[in-house]
Amino acid sequence: MTDTRLTPLAASLPSTIPFVAPESMEALRGAAFDARLGANELSFGPSPNAIRAMQDALSGIWKYGVPENEPLRSALATHLGVMPDALTIGEGIDGLLGILVRLYVGAGDAVVTSDGSYPTFNYHVAGVGGVLHKVAYKGDFEDPDALIAKAHDVNAKLVYLSNPNNPMGSAHSAETVQAMINAVPKDCLMVLDEAYTEFAPKSTQPQIDTSDTRVIRFHTFSKAYGLAGARIGYGISHPDIVSGFDKIRNHFGVNRVAQAGALAALHDAAYLAETLQTVAQGRIRIAQIAQDNGLTPLPSAANFVTIDCGQDGDHARALMAALNARGVFVRMPGKAPLDRCIRVSVGLPQELDVLAERLPLALGDIA
Amino acid sequence: MTDTRLTPLAASLPSTIPFVAPESMEALRGAAFDARLGANELSFGPSPNAIRAMQDALSGIWKYGVPENEPLRSALATHLGVMPDALTIGEGIDGLLGILVRLYVGAGDAVVTSDGSYPTFNYHVAGVGGVLHKVAYKGDFEDPDALIAKAHDVNAKLVYLSNPNNPMGSAHSAETVQAMINAVPKDCLMVLDEAYTEFAPKSTQPQIDTSDTRVIRFHTFSKAYGLAGARIGYGISHPDIVSGFDKIRNHFGVNRVAQAGALAALHDAAYLAETLQTVAQGRIRIAQIAQDNGLTPLPSAANFVTIDCGQDGDHARALMAALNARGVFVRMPGKAPLDRCIRVSVGLPQELDVLAERLPLALGDIA
């Protein structure tokens, strides 16, 4: 029963878990997955230096973390060539998006995103009573022109773009993204989700300019740095925007050991380079497996490959279910026409072996 | 400069860090503290089993945590004798309070607390535009009768009580707290912050009854379990109240390694028992040190002792500053008349030796 004391907004919201965890699916099916390829995690794990740093930091876990997230914040600032006050660090990009919408979106305010893009952003917008306006993808790409046009039309407070895009793996050029930033309406803030940016070509990354108040960018340690379970993401923006986060965030919310792990991961450039190479090879392997089975892999700038299964959403959903039933955890886009695809994260070589073995079987299951 | 695109509420809020971290104070003074006795952390650290469990879990930190926080939630349910759906787990009590106020407090809604009680609760209430109504302590105790009367007067959505109380260390009996629960106005929810409850006599703990929709209780792994840096707290309430948290929380916000550490800590009852004994001895030691210096220790049901310095707030602030300058990190209540006191956490025996040595020196400094 809904608690009658909830605010009208809270009462209107559903109680949901946005994504079912693979562990929950494993509990339901009564067996572990043989290949965990559904959550865009880095199966290779983080830098051994990060693991070591976290082991060392465990002896201090009885202490609260530092609310400014120092020295991580300053190290990130140096790494990015910005000032520390242009950075806000929080419990993953998810956590930071939740704060951002509270800062910029009141009940009834308009927010623009793409139909089929990141559901957790939409979840947070709904959580503050914002009104989502969704524009269609243009092929397998988010459509900057349509997003900007809609932002003007509806007087949007925020307009969201992910680059590279999840769930499609597509990425726009730096020039295209910069042109979108330049076109953001005066009273609107652009949310540039770059969770997967490390995997993408440099040519997709506009110059970071923290004197520009039109955009806030989000990066994370969950993807290329292999620390999804640590919960550390960060926002990069003009200091006037960043300082807003200190109005409402959970200042002591980041795990102290995770702070140490992220710092060590950041400093291991060699491991990151190795990761990017391994992931690039994994994308090629997944694409080959898809083609071997008559499916069409989409080009990807991220750590996953989205595979066009050539039919409609029901077909792709059936294939996903068949793969899951055969021990291969994958996910897929939620909205047509993107939902003709399944999405496969780069996993360990032996996990991709499992995929190669089970994909034809799963296709047989649903034939 | 304030960003003009912020919501009117966000624009009205200050950008603050609620507590200055000891690490920041150390950076400012150019030297480490010799005794870290200011943040009510457990200097003895968590159970070695918890450290081991976290070491083991580090190899899986590339995976997202489970959003339902299983198996921790079920283990807590068993431990408390409630159903799992009566529990919500989040990034410390701070994080959970932030969600709670969003669920129950709209702009302009009234919230009742005690003048000088937990500032982070007030911070979160302000963050949603709630109007705080503060009642005076009765001596060194929060005043349940006054809190309930005020809640009726102002038609409060939430009424807050901490038991034991921070910053004073006082605790009400289970009967007194239960009587307060029984008297909560119909449209109000009581927030019972029991962060320090493990340190307190059983006689201060009302029976947990998750069929009662009038109260939500908060516990944490930050205090008695020694995992402040891990960021895990939990709410205990009627499932209809708990399910509200799934409307807006950051489902994947809790660190995966912390989940494993909390689970192991919970299962090490022997270590907890040892901790409680050590803390009880530490309280006696701090009280003795205070008395040796002509100061008055207040009775404490928590892991700190609040010391009445016998004069006004300026005097206590000067003493706190003198202690900090001499390498002893302590904090103090922020509001008169509570601010005649300083607050000293139970630390390691050698840290209390430092306190014994430096307290007379600090008193000399300000004489």
Side-chain angles (χ1 to χ4, degrees), chain A residues 238-367:
Chain A
H238 191 286
D240 288 350
I241 294 172
V242 161
S243 71
F245 284 71
D246 281 339
K247 294 169 179 277
I248 55 170
R249 72 185 179 99
N250 180 10
H251 289 266
F252 290 85
V254 175
N255 181 290
R256 184 181 182 97
V257 170
Q259 291 173 332
L263 183 64
L266 181 68
H267 284 150
D268 194 347
Y271 188 84
L272 177 63
E274 201 181 304
T275 294
L276 301 185
Q277 201 161 20
T278 318
V279 166
Q281 286 161 356
R283 288 193 302 236
I284 293 171
R285 177 90 200 280
I286 295 171
Q288 188 61 55
I289 294 169
Q291 284 171 332
D292 290 347
N293 287 276
L295 307 178
T296 308
L298 306 182
S300 170
N303 69 334
F304 57 85
V305 176
T306 300
I307 299 173
D308 186 337
C309 302
Q311 300 184 36
D312 64 2
D314 287 343
H315 173 258
R317 270 185 290 280
L319 180 57
M320 177 179 73
L323 281 167
N324 290 350
R326 287 187 174 273
V328 180
F329 169 51
V330 298
R331 288 192 179 129
M332 60 176 286
K335 290 300 188 70
L338 314 180
D339 68 352
R340 70 189 190 282
C341 302
I342 61 171
R343 194 193 67 183
V344 181
S345 312
V346 172
L348 301 172
Q350 58 267 35
E351 293 182 295
L352 299 188
D353 291 345
V354 170
L355 176 70
E357 178 203 309
R358 314 261 169 103
L359 179 55
L361 302 176
L363 284 165
D365 292 341
I366 65 166

Side-chain angles (χ1 to χ4, degrees), chain A residues 13 16 104 231 247 251, chain B residues 3 13 16 104 247 251-252:
Chain A
L13 298 169
T16 50
Y104 286 92
R231 313 316 300 131
K247 294 169 179 277
H251 289 266
Chain B
D3 187 341
L13 298 169
T16 50
Y104 286 92
K247 293 169 180 277
H251 289 266
F252 290 85

Side-chain angles (χ1 to χ4, degrees), chain B residues 3-19:
Chain B
D3 187 341
T4 53
R5 294 164 299 185
L6 290 169
T7 68
L9 170 60
S12 76
L13 298 169
S15 290
T16 50
I17 302 277
F19 294 102

Side-chain angles (χ1 to χ4, degrees), chain B residues 258-333:
Chain B
Q259 291 173 331
L263 182 63
L266 180 69
H267 284 149
D268 193 346
Y271 188 85
L272 176 65
E274 201 181 304
T275 293
L276 301 184
Q277 200 161 19
T278 318
V279 166
Q281 287 161 356
R283 287 193 304 236
I284 294 171
R285 176 91 200 278
I286 295 171
Q288 189 60 56
I289 293 169
Q291 285 171 333
D292 291 347
N293 287 277
L295 307 178
T296 308
L298 306 182
S300 171
N303 69 334
F304 58 85
V305 176
T306 301
I307 300 173
D308 186 337
C309 302
Q311 300 184 37
D312 64 3
D314 287 343
H315 173 257
R317 270 184 290 279
L319 181 58
M320 176 179 75
L323 280 167
N324 290 350
R326 287 187 175 273
V328 180
F329 168 52
V330 297
R331 288 193 178 127
M332 60 176 287

Side-chain angles (χ1 to χ4, degrees), chain A:
Chain A
M1 237 182 59
T2 297
D3 187 342
T4 55
R5 295 164 298 185
L6 291 168
T7 68
L9 170 60
S12 75
L13 298 169
S15 290
T16 50
I17 302 276
F19 294 101
V20 179
E23 286 83 357
S24 308
M25 299 168 69
E26 288 173 333
L28 265 176
R29 63 192 291 269
F33 286 120
D34 301 313
R36 183 174 168 124
L37 306 174
N40 297 345
E41 298 157 330
L42 193 74
S43 309
F44 311 95
S47 157
N49 295 352
I51 298 284
R52 245 186 320 272
M54 290 187 284
Q55 276 167 344
D56 292 347
L58 280 174
S59 64
I61 191 121
W62 58 273
K63 305 178 194 174
Y64 289 100
V66 174
E68 298 86 354
N69 292 285
E70 291 291 357
L72 174 61
R73 188 170 67 152
S74 288
L76 273 171
T78 303
H79 174 74
L80 297 165
V82 303
M83 298 297 287
D85 64 1
L87 298 175
T88 183
I89 296 175
E91 301 91 324
I93 294 179
D94 284 1
L96 292 165
L97 290 174
I99 298 168
L100 181 78
V101 298
R102 287 184 59 197
L103 290 172
Y104 286 92
V105 183
D109 284 345
V111 173
V112 172
T113 187
S114 302
D115 195 19
S117 197
Y118 195 44
T120 304
F121 177 70
N122 302 351
Y123 165 82
H124 285 307
V125 171
V128 295
V131 177
L132 275 164
H133 297 266
K134 298 178 185 175
V135 307
Y137 275 61
K138 192 171 180 176
D140 299 322
F141 287 76
E142 287 176 299
D143 184 345
D145 292 340
L147 288 163
I148 289 293
K150 180 64 80 176
H152 275 286
D153 274 4
V154 299
N155 195 19
K157 303 300 297 282
L158 300 176
V159 58
Y160 176 93
L161 182 84
S162 60
N163 197 53
N165 172 251
N166 177 26
M168 301 309 281
S170 55
H172 287 292
S173 71
E175 291 70 29
T176 300
V177 178
Q178 186 61 54
M180 181 171 169
I181 296 171
N182 295 345
V184 169
K186 193 176 104 15
D187 294 328
C188 181
L189 176 63
M190 176 165 159
V191 183
L192 179 54
D193 183 344
E194 298 184 314
Y196 297 92
T197 191
E198 293 88 352
F199 300 112
K202 289 263 173 296
S203 60
T204 64
Q205 301 159 1
Q207 185 79 34
I208 290 177
D209 174 7
T210 61
S211 73
D212 190 337
T213 57
R214 297 172 297 190
V215 63
I216 181 166
R217 302 160 83 132
F218 290 105
H219 290 190
T220 182
F221 284 91
S222 298
K223 303 299 180 186
Y225 290 100
L227 290 168
R231 313 316 300 131
I232 302 206
Y234 56 98
I236 315 164
S237 191
H238 191 286
D240 288 350
I241 294 172
V242 161
S243 71
F245 284 71
D246 281 339
K247 294 169 179 277
I248 55 170
R249 72 185 179 99
N250 180 10
H251 289 266
F252 290 85
V254 175
N255 181 290
R256 184 181 182 97
V257 170
Q259 291 173 332
L263 183 64
L266 181 68
H267 284 150
D268 194 347
Y271 188 84
L272 177 63
E274 201 181 304
T275 294
L276 301 185
Q277 201 161 20
T278 318
V279 166
Q281 286 161 356
R283 288 193 302 236
I284 293 171
R285 177 90 200 280
I286 295 171
Q288 188 61 55
I289 294 169
Q291 284 171 332
D292 290 347
N293 287 276
L295 307 178
T296 308
L298 306 182
S300 170
N303 69 334
F304 57 85
V305 176
T306 300
I307 299 173
D308 186 337
C309 302
Q311 300 184 36
D312 64 2
D314 287 343
H315 173 258
R317 270 185 290 280
L319 180 57
M320 177 179 73
L323 281 167
N324 290 350
R326 287 187 174 273
V328 180
F329 169 51
V330 298
R331 288 192 179 129
M332 60 176 286
K335 290 300 188 70
L338 314 180
D339 68 352
R340 70 189 190 282
C341 302
I342 61 171
R343 194 193 67 183
V344 181
S345 312
V346 172
L348 301 172
Q350 58 267 35
E351 293 182 295
L352 299 188
D353 291 345
V354 170
L355 176 70
E357 178 203 309
R358 314 261 169 103
L359 179 55
L361 302 176
L363 284 165
D365 292 341
I366 65 166

Side-chain angles (χ1 to χ4, degrees), chain B residues 41 51 141 332 347:
Chain B
E41 297 156 330
I51 298 284
F141 287 75
M332 60 176 287

